[in-house]
Amino acid sequence: MKFEVTILGSSSATPVYNRNPTAQLLNCNEKFYLIDCGEGTQQQLIRYGFKASKIDYVFISHLHGDHYFGLIGLLSSLHLNGRVKPLKIFGPAALQEILDLQFRHSETVIRYPIEFVITEALHTKQIFENTDLIVETVVLNHRIPCTGFKFKQKKRLRKLLVEKLEAEGINIEYYPLLKRGVDLNLPNGRVLLNSEYTIDSDRPKSYAYCSDTLMDERYFDSIKGCDLLYHEATFLHEMLERANQTHHTTALQAAEVAKITNASKLLIGHFSSRYKTLQGLLDEARSVFEETELAIEGNTYTI
């Protein structure tokens, strides 16, 4: 099953040349989840070959503009392009008020249903579940209420050894039960042991998205053991005082979080506009946690 994230924006606060404010697109089994929606997200979707119409879920971490200023434009374009299927938005309560105000004063009546799910930066909570994923909030420590999100794959059914089943003439009507792990007693007295005709499905994986935050051990349990951890790394560690003032983390601290929480891989982003090149941030993080990559716009990372 496909489980990957594409970086649409990796800059903090303001866009700079070749870097846009935060946005990511998660693809899980060809269902698309937009994570934050900074200014320019629509253009980035077009640039990298994604159809906005395929997005059915939007997750907004907090109400600093570099994480949601692109949302009203995206919603309006979907309306103008004739969308009719529902869209679900997860975000702070005030976001709904902001969107309603925008639509009211532009006299826009969105033609498709928008379901708004309020997130709260108080306690970790499951906010979504479908056949593929479970999504939980991650309570972060920023200047205003802010949540990250943890996307966890669901365990899939067992995989059938189809060639063996066909070779032995096993009726296809038994396949669903075998996939569920059931041993079968056939009418002719034959016993089909599940272990002989199926193998276990792949281990479910997880992706944690930690947007703006101070390094704070209170969210470590929420992201423990992730296959891929995205963590903001706004500054080099020489700027620690500035990071603390603005409630952000350094590349070194992001790597320490990955190491402490036993992440398999670390993806750092949300880079300050002061950095024209990013190699120093990568080097700093890798000095603590070797399995680190930069969140480069247009790149897709398999989870």
Side-chain angles (χ1 to χ4, degrees):
M1 181 174 72
K2 185 173 286 188
F3 195 33
E4 60 189 26
V5 62
T6 299
I7 305 302
L8 303 175
S10 64
S11 183
S12 68
T14 59
V16 295
Y17 180 70
N18 274 345
R19 295 206 303 270
N20 292 264
T22 300
Q24 300 183 5
L25 190 65
L26 182 71
N27 179 353
C28 182
N29 203 25
E30 297 305 319
K31 295 185 179 71
F32 292 89
Y33 306 77
L34 182 64
I35 310 170
D36 277 340
C37 188
E39 180 184 354
T41 295
Q42 288 189 82
Q43 291 286 352
Q44 292 294 85
L45 288 167
I46 294 168
R47 180 181 181 185
Y48 298 123
F50 295 103
K51 293 183 178 179
S53 59
K54 289 188 174 183
I55 297 170
D56 292 327
Y57 311 96
V58 178
F59 296 82
I60 302 297
S61 62
H62 66 296
L63 294 182
H64 281 156
D66 55 322
H67 292 261
Y68 83 97
F69 276 174
L71 183 58
I72 187 69
L74 176 64
L75 299 181
S76 298
S77 292
L78 292 173
H79 164 75
L80 293 172
N81 289 330
R83 183 186 180 104
V84 294
K85 65 177 178 175
L87 181 74
K88 185 172 286 191
I89 299 175
F90 302 80
L95 179 58
Q96 187 171 19
E97 178 184 353
I98 291 168
L99 295 176
D100 287 345
L101 185 69
Q102 294 262 9
F103 291 135
R104 182 164 73 249
H105 287 290
S106 65
E107 298 185 5
T108 301
V109 179
I110 295 296
R111 71 179 73 214
Y112 57 91
I114 295 178
E115 181 182 348
F116 199 92
V117 179
I118 295 173
T119 56
E120 296 180 347
L122 297 172
H123 307 286
T124 296
K125 182 180 179 181
Q126 180 178 318
I127 57 172
F128 177 74
E129 180 177 1
N130 62 9
T131 56
D132 299 312
L133 284 177
I134 293 173
V135 184
E136 297 174 349
T137 55
V138 178
V139 180
L140 301 174
N141 183 349
H142 195 40
R143 290 196 301 109
I144 64 173
C146 182
T147 63
F149 302 101
K150 183 177 181 181
F151 299 83
K152 302 189 298 183
Q153 283 182 318
K154 283 187 169 180
K155 179 72 172 176
R156 309 293 287 182
L157 297 177
R158 294 181 65 81
K159 297 180 181 179
L160 296 172
L161 300 176
V162 176
E163 290 185 4
K164 183 175 182 179
L165 288 163
E166 291 178 345
E168 297 186 17
I170 306 300
N171 196 308
I172 195 170
E173 68 181 271
Y174 299 124
Y175 288 11
L177 290 173
L178 289 169
K179 284 177 69 69
R180 291 184 176 88
V182 177
D183 292 331
L184 300 177
N185 294 304
L186 304 188
N188 61 6
R190 183 180 178 183
V191 177
L192 297 183
L193 296 177
N194 179 269
S195 59
E196 295 181 1
Y197 295 93
T198 68
I199 57 174
D200 198 12
S201 58
D202 296 334
R203 177 183 65 82
K205 295 183 178 180
S206 60
Y207 175 58
Y209 171 82
C210 293
S211 61
D212 302 14
T213 186
L214 283 169
M215 181 179 176
D216 188 333
E217 64 181 13
R218 287 177 293 182
Y219 65 83
F220 289 1
D221 282 344
S222 299
I223 61 173
K224 190 170 291 183
C226 283
D227 294 277
L228 180 61
L229 168 64
Y230 169 85
H231 200 289
E232 71 124 295
T234 308
F235 300 104
L236 287 168
H237 204 66
E238 64 188 26
M239 299 287 295
L240 178 61
E241 183 177 353
R242 180 61 176 162
N244 289 337
Q245 289 172 349
T246 56
H247 280 72
H248 287 296
T249 48
T250 67
L252 188 74
Q253 289 176 316
E256 289 173 343
V257 172
K259 187 173 183 178
I260 292 168
T261 61
N262 197 31
S264 296
K265 291 184 179 180
L266 171 65
L267 194 59
I268 56 173
H270 199 263
F271 309 116
S272 169
S273 60
R274 73 180 60 240
Y275 302 114
K276 306 310 177 188
T277 61
L278 303 175
Q279 188 62 43
L281 292 148
L282 180 61
D283 291 343
E284 182 171 278
R286 283 182 172 173
S287 72
V288 173
F289 190 79
E290 187 174 349
E291 291 297 320
T292 301
E293 293 188 55
L294 296 169
I296 301 297
E297 294 178 19
N299 283 6
T300 296
Y301 301 86
T302 299
I303 300 164

